[in-house]
Amino acid sequence: MSDHYKILGQSSTTVTSGVLTLYEVPSPSASDSYGPTVSPKAVSLLTRALVSTIVVVNTNGTIGTIDIGIVGNRIPGLTSIFDGLDFAAWESRVFDLGITLSYGDKLTIASTQDYDWTCTGIETTSGTGPGS
């Protein structure tokens, strides 16, 4: 098992962006960051993630709202974390969340103005194969 502390996703959204995926937990695979598995006996690597922090910055001089949600791999539909959360012009916020995601889960974002987004956390990889 290995932990990777990192920026999970960064994006900029505008009024016309619609719903975007900020981060998606990688699906199980027989490869890792070092390349594909060569051995036919290798077992898939399974990745899970802990989303620790989301930083949101309103880069527009206008009041707006944001939406943050999770689309689960095994539970269909959107689970809202924030829906229509008001943001003042030029406002910045840091959300300390501690959300655990499983493989295939997506962290989605949407906004009514121009925003910059950064999501940090930990990816944990388990299984056997190269690099595990």
Side-chain angles (χ1 to χ4, degrees):
M1 181 181 294
S2 62
D3 294 340
H4 304 280
Y5 298 81
K6 63 189 216 175
I7 294 174
L8 299 174
Q10 290 184 307
S11 185
S12 292
T13 56
T14 64
V15 175
T16 60
S17 295
V19 177
L20 300 175
T21 298
L22 181 60
Y23 172 69
E24 180 175 356
V25 182
S27 294
S29 67
S31 65
D32 63 10
S33 59
Y34 303 105
T37 300
V38 178
S39 171
K41 295 182 179 181
V43 176
S44 293
L45 297 175
L46 178 63
T47 303
R48 290 175 296 280
L50 174 66
V51 176
S52 59
T53 305
I54 299 175
V55 179
V56 184
V57 180
N58 183 344
T59 58
N60 190 313
T62 307
I63 296 171
T65 62
I66 65 161
D67 301 330
I68 302 174
I70 297 171
V71 176
N73 176 40
R74 290 172 270 156
I75 301 172
L78 175 73
T79 300
S80 292
I81 298 170
F82 298 110
D83 187 15
L85 183 64
D86 291 329
F87 258 73
W90 309 111
E91 182 178 7
S92 300
R93 290 191 195 172
V94 178
F95 300 101
D96 293 319
L97 301 172
I99 298 171
T100 305
L101 302 175
S102 186
Y103 65 89
D105 289 349
K106 296 177 185 178
L107 184 64
T108 63
I109 56 175
S111 65
T112 60
Q113 293 299 329
D114 301 342
Y115 290 86
D116 287 338
W117 305 75
T118 301
C119 173
T120 62
I122 305 167
E123 281 187 348
T124 301
T125 307
S126 62
T128 58
S132 61

